[in-house]
Amino acid sequence: MSVNLPNLLTIFRIVLIPLYLYVFFSPNPYHLEIALAILILAGLTDIADGYLARKHKLVTTLGIVLDPLADKLMMLAVIASFFATERISMWAALFFFVRELAMIVTGAVYHLRGKKTVPANTYGKLTTIFLYVVIPLIMYRYEYGEMILWSVIAFSFITSVIYLGKFRLLNRS
């Protein structure tokens, strides 16, 4: 198992998840601003770890597995916090959770079976960017925030189909 700087940044993103939840649900009057800052930090470390891994040829199997897992776990925490505070409907949360959990389980099954996993592609990165754009809208209760989230959820399902196709093609044998 190779732990290098990009992998440490990914692990740091995972550590930010409980911190985000603690701050989001805290009674601090600036809790939303601090929670959003934590999410921005997570997004910046996501960009940094990918850049460093590619630029310095530090891409590892651990990173390929942990990076999307860190993204998904953070987004699951964010969506759970939005549902718990009635910022989004149960249906939006449910569709989001089903998609994310299905992607985590599929990736884990492929990895545990010794199959190759597909690193993040443009569609997956776009999905993450779209989520980071919609998060402040929902966090601050923008009137059309959930409607925009539904668009991102629909796009994420399309992205999932693309990933599954790539998983199958990569592992044909």
Side-chain angles (χ1 to χ4, degrees):
M1 173 164 51
S2 298
V3 179
N4 54 31
L5 181 58
N7 291 345
L8 287 173
L9 288 171
T10 301
I11 292 165
F12 175 69
R13 278 202 337 267
I14 293 170
V15 171
L16 288 176
I17 296 167
L19 179 61
Y20 162 81
L21 290 169
Y22 174 77
V23 169
F24 184 85
F25 290 109
S26 77
N28 183 316
Y30 299 105
H31 71 108
L32 293 181
E33 290 78 9
I34 298 168
L36 186 57
I38 291 167
L39 291 174
I40 290 168
L41 178 60
L44 292 173
T45 58
D46 187 17
I47 292 166
D49 74 47
Y51 172 78
L52 291 170
R54 286 185 298 280
K55 181 174 183 192
H56 298 289
K57 297 183 183 358
L58 297 171
V59 175
T60 64
T61 303
L62 178 66
I64 290 171
V65 172
L66 274 188
D67 184 68
L69 180 63
D71 293 339
K72 288 175 185 352
L73 291 175
M74 178 61 87
M75 288 304 138
L76 287 169
V78 170
I79 293 299
S81 69
F82 289 170
F83 173 67
T85 55
E86 299 179 350
R87 284 173 164 77
I88 62 170
S89 69
M90 174 189 68
W91 290 108
L94 184 64
F95 271 80
F96 190 89
F97 271 84
V98 165
R99 186 266 180 179
E100 293 299 306
L101 292 174
M103 291 299 289
I104 290 170
V105 168
T106 301
V109 166
Y110 271 87
H111 179 72
L112 292 173
R113 289 185 176 173
K115 303 284 186 177
K116 295 177 185 173
T117 55
V118 178
N121 65 22
T122 304
Y123 298 112
K125 291 176 185 176
L126 273 175
T127 300
T128 303
I129 291 168
F130 293 156
L131 283 167
Y132 274 100
V133 169
V134 78
I135 283 170
L137 301 177
I138 295 170
M139 189 176 278
Y140 291 102
R141 299 182 187 270
Y142 174 68
E143 183 178 357
Y144 300 106
E146 185 170 335
M147 184 176 73
I148 297 168
L149 176 63
W150 275 108
S151 300
V152 175
I153 291 169
F155 185 76
S156 74
F157 273 92
I158 293 166
T159 301
S160 297
V161 170
I162 293 168
Y163 270 111
L164 290 174
K166 288 187 176 202
F167 276 134
R168 286 188 175 165
L169 284 174
L170 189 62
N171 288 289
R172 270 199 187 158
S173 55

